[in-house]
């Protein structure tokens, strides 16, 4: 599942070393994922808040949200909104939209065994190397010389300063559409 033309495409890893485009479309013909089949409810107070300005994705997480944090620790950062959903392609993990958005905008995935393992960044967020939505492929290659193709048209690169983590870049044409980062993920069964 993935959308390569609207505001943001976020990705999650489906197994060690693999990933799929996530949320927001149906290029494979599959129906879009739904988080609720019941009536819609007003957003919670935490989903009305916004993320702090100036967040950077890497090397250990996004601002105060770090890889390995338990659900309780991650929630205490104020960066996770509710409600959480079970990620459809990652049946072990729980997915939380980041504060101020939806899982289609940006999210964190929390493993019951390893804590936070995937963070998909909002469009305004950059890496420490100043790469983000709108960066060109040439800029990404210059910042991450070990950039390599992955499946679903994404590209991956090791995260400087964290050899266990990996950036995943979704491109639309020659520019970055979205960035996610994963570390020690075990979400797929």
């Amino acid at each position: 599942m993935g959308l390569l033309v609207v505001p943001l495409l976020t990705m999650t890893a489906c197994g060690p070393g693999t990933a799929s485009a996530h949320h927001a479309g149906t290029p494979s013909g599959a129906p879009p994922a739904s988080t609720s089949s019941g009536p819609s409810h007003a957003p919670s107070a935490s989903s009305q808040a916004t993320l702090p300005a100036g967040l950077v994705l890497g090397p250990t997480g996004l601002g105060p949200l770090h890889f390995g944090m338990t659900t309780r620790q991650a929630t205490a950062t104020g960066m996770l909104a509710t409600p959480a959903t079970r990620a459809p392609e990652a049946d072990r993990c729980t997915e939380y939209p980041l504060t101020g958005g939806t899982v289609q905008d940006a999210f964190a995935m929390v493993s019951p065994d390893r804590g936070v393992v995937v963070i998909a960044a909002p469009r305004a967020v950059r890496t420490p190397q100043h790469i983000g939505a709108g960066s060109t492929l040439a800029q990404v290659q210059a910042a991450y010389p070990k950039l390599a193709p992955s499946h679903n048209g994404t590209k991956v690169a090791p995260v400087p300063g964290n050899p266990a983590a990996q950036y995943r870049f979704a491109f639309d044409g020659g520019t970055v559409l979205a960035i996610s980062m994963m570390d020690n993920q075990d979400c797929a069964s």
Side-chain angles (χ1 to χ4, degrees):
M1 308 174 166
L3 180 67
L4 298 176
V5 262
V6 269
L8 180 62
L9 170 72
T10 53
M11 299 81 40
T12 62
C14 295
T18 64
S20 67
H22 184 65
H23 298 294
T26 58
S28 65
S34 173
T35 59
S36 171
S37 59
S40 60
H41 301 282
S44 69
S46 66
S47 67
Q48 293 296 318
T50 58
L51 293 173
L55 291 174
V56 174
L57 183 64
T60 60
L62 178 64
L65 181 64
H66 295 277
F67 288 114
M69 284 182 154
T70 65
T71 300
R72 177 173 282 168
Q73 292 168 329
T75 302
T77 68
M79 292 186 60
L80 301 186
T82 56
T85 59
R86 187 70 61 194
E89 66 282 331
D91 59 357
R92 306 180 22 77
C93 295
T94 304
E95 186 171 64
Y96 294 86
L98 296 185
T99 302
T102 67
V103 290
Q104 286 81 12
D105 300 324
F107 62 91
M109 290 183 70
V110 182
S111 160
D113 300 323
R114 298 179 182 176
V116 174
V117 292
V118 176
I119 301 170
R123 286 187 58 81
V125 169
R126 299 284 185 250
T127 69
Q129 293 75 28
H130 308 289
I131 299 298
S135 295
T136 66
L137 176 58
Q139 290 170 322
V140 176
Q141 288 171 323
Y144 306 103
K146 294 183 180 179
L147 186 71
S150 186
H151 76 289
N152 289 341
T154 62
K155 296 186 185 300
V156 296
V159 175
N162 185 351
Q166 184 178 58
Y167 285 124
R168 187 166 305 277
F169 302 94
F171 287 87
D172 181 13
T175 61
V176 173
L177 185 60
I179 302 173
S180 65
M181 187 173 148
M182 64 196 80
D183 185 353
N184 201 25
Q185 95 69 31
D186 65 343
C187 292
S189 54

